[in-house]
Amino acid sequence: MPLHTDASPLPLDAQGILELAARSMFQLFSTMSQGMFLVDLSGRIVWVNEGYRRFLPDLGVHSVHDFVGRMVEEVIPNTQMRQVLETGQPVLVDLLTNKAGTFVVSRIPLHGDDGRVIGAIGIVLFDHPETTLQPLIAKFAQLQRELDDARRELAAQRSRLPVAGPGVRRAKHTFASFVGASPAATEVKRQARRAAQSQSPVLLLGETGTGKELLAHAIHAASTRAQGPFVSVNIAAVPDTLLEAEFFGVAPGAYTGASVRGREGKFKLADGGTLFLDEIGDMPSNLQAKLLRALQEGEIEPLGSNQLVPFDVRVVAATSRDLAALVRDGLFREDLFYRLHVLPIRVPPLRERRADIPALVEALADDLALRNGIAPPELLPDALALLGAQAWRGNIRELRNVLEQAAMRSETLTVNAEQLRQVLRESGVEPAAPTPDAGGVSTGDDGAALLRPLAVQVAELERRAIAAALSLHGGNKLATARHLGISRATLYERMGQPLANTDK
């Protein structure tokens, strides 16, 4: 549709409008910029505007006549105009530094009627960018500082996790090892990261197989004690008669058959680091009082010794039992409970984070392949849907077991739903039928679900969409990302996993 107006004599044809716009833009840049010049195809300067002439003395050029006609590299050090002439590609914004100062510049190729490059125009957008662009530079500097801080933190965390030599006790996992991007998993990692910055005791509460020990390792690895030892003891696995010696150590010759050199207990071994007390709810009552005193006083008395030995440890405890109920029943000391219950973190069961199952399956499959020297098994869509529908009383530990059994029995690298059903039935579990939203998280009745924060609902819908697409494409990440219209990097970010060099 032709343009026309009574107020302004605009050209009526497209070519005329284009030429007018080009002249107007040229005049605007010549007036508003700090300076402009033109070069021909050979790189020889053919024109310079009034604004650019003020830079000539600093460039060592005495007059315009000494500037025009010279090759651009001879009079403007560090210029990239030759690159623009050779490639025909503009450089819209760049920093140029030479003896005249630092400038924000733009370089634009000029094309003839046949489309070929015939020259280029150089524009000084800003001089003294340290003042004219101070807000932008400040923001860039802040981003650069944050990037440098992140790099230093990553390097520090790597240095805190050296390869363990003989007898060296180190954390084996970081927060990246806790796979999952569901709201429940995200909240657990948020609380654990905050706890890592404190020196107070942490109490991990949750069913067996939910990843409590992994989180304990991660908390230590992210703490200021990461360079110290990480010592763990499973209270349920040690006979009651040996627990005191296990915790506090044994003095030389404390009893018949005792070593003449004595034996250090777990508290002393963890000195300067973290002591992880797994299954704290199974601790016998006679030892609870001694543990409480040790935590309060910061010192222990080895078995058979009259000497008090100071120690410096940060305690992380975990239990799958209801400690509050044990306190009410008189089976766990109330004062010890409050001593440990400073930073409680509830680790959710797998049935409360079903959206994480596809990511967990892939991580477990990769680990299985690494340990057995085989290619990772691939689950067909019906198999993923079936896994998403189960109750998982044993949580991730049960999921790992089922997946490993199915993979070892399969004659191929693929695992289907029927193979999983057979493994579940042989384990004494009647498989639940898959539901359309098996990969999602149950939210109760519709009214309560709609009253949750909008961000939570949107995040849940996103997780369901990812789970459904993963199921449809058999866990293939590239195909899933294309199906959802997002990049593979964005998909991995939503799933809480680092981007791997793979198309899966």
Side-chain angles (χ1 to χ4, degrees), residues 84-128:
V84 175
L85 292 170
E86 292 175 352
T87 65
Q89 298 298 317
V91 179
L92 298 180
V93 180
D94 193 15
L95 279 177
L96 171 66
T97 300
N98 53 38
K99 55 188 176 181
T102 298
F103 309 93
V104 179
V105 301
S106 183
R107 308 179 187 98
I108 302 173
L110 300 175
H111 298 271
D113 293 338
D114 58 359
R116 295 183 180 181
V117 175
I118 58 175
I121 180 170
I123 307 172
V124 178
L125 300 173
F126 301 99
D127 59 348
H128 304 294

Side-chain angles (χ1 to χ4, degrees), residues 245 249-263 301-306:
V250 179
Y255 51 82
T256 303
S259 171
V260 294
R261 293 183 299 177
R263 180 173 179 268
E301 185 176 335
L303 205 63
S305 172
N306 294 323

Side-chain angles (χ1 to χ4, degrees), residues 14-237:
Q15 184 61 32
I17 292 175
L18 182 61
E19 293 175 356
L20 175 61
R23 289 196 304 271
S24 299
M25 290 296 295
F26 186 88
Q27 293 170 359
L28 177 64
F29 274 113
S30 181
T31 304
M32 300 298 294
S33 69
Q34 302 300 311
M36 290 174 55
F37 66 92
L38 290 171
V39 298
D40 61 16
L41 184 58
S42 68
R44 192 177 304 278
I45 298 171
V46 297
W47 175 83
V48 59
N49 76 341
E50 190 68 32
Y52 199 91
R53 297 182 185 188
R54 64 191 175 95
F55 302 126
L56 299 186
D58 292 329
L59 291 171
V61 180
H62 300 293
S63 68
V64 175
H65 299 291
D66 295 331
F67 188 73
V68 176
R70 302 274 295 276
M71 301 302 290
V72 65
E73 296 92 344
E74 296 177 5
V75 288
I76 305 179
N78 302 326
T79 182
Q80 299 296 318
M81 290 294 283
R82 181 69 59 185
Q83 177 182 345
V84 175
L85 292 170
E86 292 175 352
T87 65
Q89 298 298 317
V91 179
L92 298 180
V93 180
D94 193 15
L95 279 177
L96 171 66
T97 300
N98 53 38
K99 55 188 176 181
T102 298
F103 309 93
V104 179
V105 301
S106 183
R107 308 179 187 98
I108 302 173
L110 300 175
H111 298 271
D113 293 338
D114 58 359
R116 295 183 180 181
V117 175
I118 58 175
I121 180 170
I123 307 172
V124 178
L125 300 173
F126 301 99
D127 59 348
H128 304 294
E130 65 277 5
T131 56
T132 56
L133 296 180
Q134 199 279 330
L136 181 61
I137 291 176
K139 182 176 291 187
F140 175 80
Q142 175 65 25
L143 291 173
Q144 187 63 48
R145 284 194 297 271
E146 292 177 357
L147 177 60
D148 291 341
D149 290 343
R151 285 172 173 166
R152 282 193 294 270
E153 176 63 22
L154 179 60
Q157 289 197 14
R158 286 174 175 169
S159 68
R160 293 169 187 165
L161 296 170
V163 177
V168 178
R169 301 168 185 260
R170 300 290 186 188
K172 300 177 182 177
H173 306 285
T174 65
F175 286 116
S177 306
F178 194 88
V179 177
S182 65
T186 302
E187 177 61 17
V188 166
K189 286 188 277 191
R190 184 192 69 81
Q191 293 182 20
R193 284 191 178 97
R194 291 189 60 185
Q197 307 310 311
S198 169
Q199 296 297 319
S200 299
V202 178
L203 182 59
L204 301 173
L205 304 167
E207 299 175 7
T208 181
T210 52
K212 298 187 294 297
E213 183 171 0
L214 186 151
L215 275 177
H217 281 263
I219 289 172
H220 173 76
S223 74
T224 56
R225 294 175 174 267
Q227 292 183 344
F230 177 86
V231 178
S232 63
V233 54
N234 188 321
I235 296 172

Side-chain angles (χ1 to χ4, degrees), residues 125 268 282:
L125 300 173
K268 195 58 183 175
D282 292 326

